[in-house]
Amino acid sequence: MLKFYVPALFTACLNVFSPESVTAQSSDTLQTQNLNEVTVNAFETRTNLLSTTATVGLISSRSLERFSPVTWANAVNAIPGVRMEERSPGSYRFSVRGSLIRSPFGVRNVKFYWNGIPFTDASGNTPLNSLDYNSVQRMEIIKGPGSSLYGAGTGGVVLMQSHPDNEAMNRFEQSVSFGKYGFQNRNTTMQIGDISIQYGHSEQDGYRNHSAMARDAIRLTSSSRIGEKGTLSLLGMYSDLYYQTPGGITLAQYQANPKLARQPTATLPGSEAQQAAIYTKLALLGGNYTLQLSDNWTQSTALYLTYTDFANPFISNYEKRDEQGLGGRNFWQNRSQIGNVKTNWTTGFEWQFSKSAQRNYDNIGGVPDKQQTVEDIRTANLSVFSQLEAVLFSDLTISAGLSYNTSRYKYERFFALPYSKEERTFDGIFTPRFAANKIIAKNWAVTASYSGGFSPPTLQEVRPSAGGFRKDLEAERGINTEVGIRKTGKFITGELSLYHFGLKETIVRRTNEGGAEYFINAGKTKQKGMEWTLAYDILSGYQNPLSLRLWNTGTYTRYTFENFQQAEVDLSGKLIPGIPRFSQSTGLDALFRFGISAFVTYQSGSSFYLNDANTVKNTPYNQWIARVSWKKSWGQHLYSELSASAEKVNAGIYSLGYDLNAFGNRYYNAAPKDNIWAGVKIGWEWQKNSR
């Protein structure tokens, strides 16, 4: 396979940077969108993809149309270096450049913001699975450490946005879709003036036994002018999520029946008997106020409050958590010009706090029984940052940033006795970033960067599911160096990036016999990678009845442990598990007149190891994805869309997320090898009243 793709790698030195630029054409027009017209906000600098000093992948509402309206996973996985998994319906994992090694579930080591408001909480966790698919229309994924401006996280940063498709229109929209394995989705959107309200309901029975899921989520956003120079954006959401957790199975069990949930043993019951599941109710309220102080100065303040009611009946216990969080982000920005030099100085701070009351009980068939633990944990972190960017000679951009970071856990155990009180502080961590971008001949650019990152253990790592406080865990720290080349053009657009990331005190997951997880520091890792994308507009232009675009994205990596001793075994030089050496996505987009669109995508990935010792591998996979849609306007107000999607996978063992280093070799979480969905959307829109 590798021989086959060597010529493709050579060709792909000029490639598409994001799925947005791949599918940035509307269904009513066939006009191609140039990379120079796409705005990115990475590191608080509004610029285009050719000029940015960051390595960024974009997912927009238009690029999401290429895939079924079920999950972001396929669109995310088309971004080179980024991976999203769903071990069972509702159980998301999100990784940027190998950060998945710390994520047995959820999202860790990647910092998320939603409409400029921190969405990753003080303890490092991101409740991405609580969001309805339609609540986010755009993701801007910054690859590599962003700690110089965004605090903790060595994997990367994701900037999510919810905004109306057309701010000049009011609208009411209703969509319904159905699929295999009991999938149903209903979504209602109402936009009146500056206020948008969206409600979504999703449910499915799941492919495996004991893998049903249901979620109800409501989201409210608004953006209003306050006076002549101020803008206030509000964000509110409430989500009620339930999903069953089937758990991992062994290879023999997978081969006998891949739909099995975790089976009982001589000493422990299985997932079905214990009614293993996740129950999460999450409420968030936030606001972001931006004030244009003068022609040069801008001030922005974001504040938020959260409440989480969490319950997890598990094999060995029944965990309950009540959590409250608050925090904010404030920065000042000065844009000036001195002669021919344009400068952009950003400085500010981000502060977060959370309190988590954690209670563990015996689990008797999904019902909490005798109390095991009573513990409280308070988490606080602070990041102070400053960054200066200068544009010289209109085509050379230089950026330098630095942040100071501190994080603290305060732990109290009330039961089991004796009472204990402990504290762990990660203090005085400085993280720099230096980057440069040079535009050549107006449509080429060369970029280079050196950036540091840090990531203290999250709440679920210092306080694992079985209880206790792991104050011995150290924060991860790493340095990333990167070079890249980009090109824009009328027919060909693209990018090639090479990076080297060295990480110290790498945190990895372990499980005990009961399946309870715990974490250790695994020494040093070395992560080398190459990412590319390539897009060619075969046919484009408004005058053509058909628009065709062929594109390819891919990643080639070599991630190894450099200094890792496990008991008496030296694992130095072993490949880091869970990360394929090679993965790629190839697609053909066809946009016709009269609102008809057809998309075909081929995604594949090589095998990878499932444990640190490199003794167990999965199998490669090849996946075909197709979607067709027909959009139609029925007069000035009424519009509709019909769509159908299908997926087909060829793989010996197929999982959308493995349990790495699993006790008892229970690595496997089977996923369906074929799926199909169909949906209909109807909307009514009308012009806003003029002001």
Side-chain angles (χ1 to χ4, degrees):
M1 179 183 292
L2 188 56
K3 275 188 175 182
F4 176 80
Y5 278 103
V6 167
L9 290 178
F10 180 78
T11 305
C13 289
L14 308 174
N15 46 47
V16 68
F17 186 62
S18 72
E20 174 168 348
S21 56
V22 171
T23 56
Q25 300 159 310
S26 71
S27 45
D28 294 327
T29 68
L30 301 176
Q31 187 174 3
T32 301
Q33 182 171 350
N34 190 282
L35 277 173
N36 279 323
E37 299 172 355
V38 180
T39 300
V40 295
N41 301 292
F43 294 100
E44 303 296 348
T45 57
R46 289 182 58 84
T47 186
N48 58 60
L49 281 171
L50 191 64
S51 302
T52 181
T53 61
T55 305
V56 181
L58 295 178
I59 299 174
S60 73
S61 57
R62 289 173 178 170
S63 59
L64 288 171
E65 291 179 355
R66 305 186 63 256
F67 305 101
S68 60
V70 178
T71 175
W72 297 299
N74 288 328
V76 170
N77 292 337
I79 302 287
V82 186
R83 179 71 182 171
M84 186 174 181
E85 298 184 348
E86 192 171 5
R87 293 186 302 169
S88 59
S91 180
Y92 295 161
R93 297 196 292 190
F94 195 104
S95 165
V96 181
R97 291 182 173 174
S99 60
L100 196 66
I101 190 173
R102 282 178 61 183
S103 302
F105 59 87
V107 183
R108 298 178 186 173
N109 208 19
V110 179
K111 191 72 175 289
F112 277 71
Y113 293 83
W114 189 6
N115 292 358
I117 299 168
F119 190 61
T120 300
D121 64 24
S123 62
N125 292 316
T126 304
L128 191 62
N129 55 1
S130 291
L131 295 182
D132 181 78
Y133 173 85
N134 294 279
S135 62
V136 174
Q137 284 80 44
R138 174 184 167 101
M139 289 186 185
E140 186 172 320
I141 304 172
I142 305 171
K143 305 177 193 177
S147 297
S148 64
L149 207 65
Y150 298 105
T154 61
V157 180
V158 180
L159 308 178
M160 304 187 300
Q161 288 289 334
S162 301
H163 55 82
D165 292 333
N166 187 345
E167 297 181 355
M169 303 295 291
N170 297 319
R171 66 184 174 119
F172 176 83
E173 186 176 280
Q174 178 67 52
S175 64
V176 180
S177 56
F178 299 91
K180 292 185 67 174
Y181 312 111
F183 174 80
Q184 300 181 43
N185 178 268
R186 300 186 298 274
N187 191 272
T188 305
T189 301
M190 171 69 80
Q191 177 188 335
I192 300 295
D194 298 315
I195 300 173
S196 175
I197 301 174
Q198 180 258 334
Y199 165 75
H201 171 82
S202 295
E203 63 178 84
Q204 53 184 303
D205 299 328
Y207 168 73
R208 296 176 63 193
N209 300 340
H210 197 70
S211 61
M213 169 266 190
R215 178 179 56 225
D216 291 277
I218 186 169
R219 180 261 298 169
L220 181 147
T221 57
S222 71
S223 181
S224 305
R225 299 285 298 179
I226 305 296
E228 295 183 359
K229 298 183 178 181
T231 302
L232 176 63
S233 299
L234 297 177
L235 170 64
M237 70 154 288
Y238 175 79
S239 174
D240 187 348
L241 170 67
Y242 161 73
Y243 63 92
Q244 297 172 329
T245 53
I249 57 178
T250 66
L251 179 59
Q253 292 166 347
Y254 180 97
Q255 292 172 336
N257 181 5
K259 294 186 177 182
L260 289 174
R262 174 173 168 166
Q263 297 297 288
T265 66
T267 57
L268 291 170
S271 296
E272 292 172 285
Q274 289 293 72
Q275 293 296 300
I278 298 290
Y279 301 81
T280 302
K281 296 179 180 179
L282 171 66
L284 177 147
L285 180 63
N288 193 346
Y289 178 65
T290 301
L291 179 62
Q292 187 72 39
L293 299 171
S294 67
D295 293 339
N296 303 112
W297 283 96
T298 303
Q299 188 268 344
S300 179
T301 301
L303 299 172
Y304 75 90
L305 295 168
T306 61
Y307 173 77
T308 304
D309 181 358
F310 177 91
N312 176 206
F314 185 59
I315 301 297
S316 56
N317 60 54
Y318 194 116
E319 181 185 7
K320 291 185 176 182
R321 299 202 308 259
D322 288 320
E323 298 178 335
Q324 301 87 40
L326 72 153
R329 179 176 176 86
N330 174 272
F331 68 86
W332 297 70
Q333 191 168 72
N334 177 273
R335 295 177 180 268
S336 301
Q337 183 163 345
I338 304 172
N340 294 326
V341 178
K342 296 180 180 179
T343 63
N344 182 3
W345 177 49
T346 304
T347 189
F349 69 93
E350 183 176 314
W351 176 83
Q352 292 180 286
F353 173 83
S354 68
K355 177 183 177 182
S356 180
Q358 311 217 359
R359 310 291 185 258
N360 281 30
Y361 306 83
D362 290 343
N363 182 17
I364 309 298
V367 178
D369 194 61
K370 183 180 178 182
Q371 195 154 46
Q372 296 180 356
T373 64
V374 178
E375 300 163 316
D376 285 359
I377 299 183
R378 291 174 173 82
T379 309
N381 57 57
L382 173 68
S383 178
V384 181
F385 53 83
S386 189
Q387 174 184 275
L388 179 63
E389 184 173 277
V391 180
L392 312 175
F393 315 114
S394 75
D395 57 10
L396 175 63
T397 303
I398 299 175
S399 179
L402 181 69
S403 71
Y404 172 85
N405 306 274
T406 180
S407 180
R408 176 180 298 175
Y409 287 104
K410 291 185 176 181
Y411 168 84
E412 287 186 276
R413 184 182 68 201
F414 301 96
F415 185 83
L417 295 174
Y419 168 83
S420 68
K421 185 176 183 179
E422 300 181 80
E423 186 174 309
R424 183 68 165 96
T425 300
F426 305 91
D427 201 1
I429 301 174
F430 287 91
T431 57
R433 180 178 182 268
F434 304 98
N437 179 279
K438 170 65 175 177
I439 298 176
I440 303 172
K442 295 185 179 181
N443 60 357
W444 288 84
V446 178
T447 184
S449 65
Y450 171 94
S451 57
F454 86 104
S455 181
T458 66
L459 176 62
Q460 272 63 58
E461 291 167 340
V462 298
R463 195 275 182 188
S465 58
F469 187 61
R470 296 295 301 270
K471 64 182 297 182
D472 58 320
L473 280 175
E474 299 291 340
E476 293 182 336
R477 301 194 190 193
I479 295 294
N480 185 74
T481 54
E482 186 164 350
V483 295
I485 184 170
R486 304 181 186 123
K487 183 186 184 301
T488 64
K490 184 176 181 181
F491 300 105
I492 296 178
T493 56
E495 182 175 28
L496 174 71
S497 297
L498 302 172
Y499 65 90
H500 176 280
F501 181 53
L503 188 64
K504 299 179 180 179
E505 302 293 352
T506 307
I507 297 175
V508 297
R509 176 185 183 244
R510 295 287 181 268
T511 56
N512 60 24
E513 183 178 1
E517 64 187 15
Y518 63 96
F519 296 83
I520 64 171
N521 291 107
K524 299 179 181 179
T525 64
K526 183 182 293 184
Q527 303 175 17
K528 301 177 181 179
M530 176 173 66
E531 299 167 355
W532 70 89
T533 54
L534 174 66
Y536 175 59
D537 288 304
I538 302 171
L539 291 173
S540 63
Y542 179 75
Q543 71 279 5
N544 293 325
L546 170 65
S547 176
L548 284 177
R549 171 169 283 200
L550 180 66
W551 58 273
N552 173 263
T553 70
T555 306
Y556 183 79
T557 67
R558 181 174 174 80
Y559 291 1
T560 58
F561 292 111
E562 290 302 300
N563 181 17
F564 182 26
Q565 190 80 19
Q566 188 178 96
E568 301 299 323
V569 181
D570 185 4
L571 298 180
S572 300
K574 298 291 186 181
L575 292 173
I576 297 176
I579 302 158
R581 297 289 303 277
F582 172 78
S583 60
Q584 69 85 41
S585 297
T586 301
L588 179 65
D589 306 335
L591 304 179
F592 303 86
R593 289 192 183 276
F594 312 114
I596 298 174
S597 304
F599 306 97
V600 177
T601 306
Y602 166 64
Q603 295 183 327
S604 64
S606 63
S607 60
F608 52 81
Y609 289 107
L610 303 179
N611 59 0
D612 294 340
N614 290 182
T615 58
V616 182
K617 262 188 175 183
N618 72 336
T619 60
Y621 78 93
N622 298 276
Q623 181 180 31
W624 291 92
I625 307 166
R627 185 171 191 266
V628 293
S629 68
W630 176 45
K631 294 183 178 181
K632 174 68 175 176
S633 295
W634 306 88
Q636 295 183 348
H637 303 291
L638 181 65
Y639 61 91
S640 65
E641 179 183 3
L642 297 174
S643 64
S645 311
E647 295 181 5
K648 179 67 176 179
V649 177
N650 180 20
I653 298 172
Y654 184 59
S655 172
L656 286 175
Y658 294 87
D659 289 351
L660 305 179
N661 295 305
F663 187 89
N665 297 323
R666 290 187 289 264
Y667 302 110
Y668 305 99
N669 296 276
K673 293 184 179 180
D674 60 88
N675 220 326
I676 190 168
W677 302 270
V680 59
K681 179 189 297 182
I682 298 176
W684 183 273
E685 65 180 7
W686 64 100
Q687 189 74 31
K688 285 183 180 180
N689 295 327
S690 59
R691 296 184 176 182

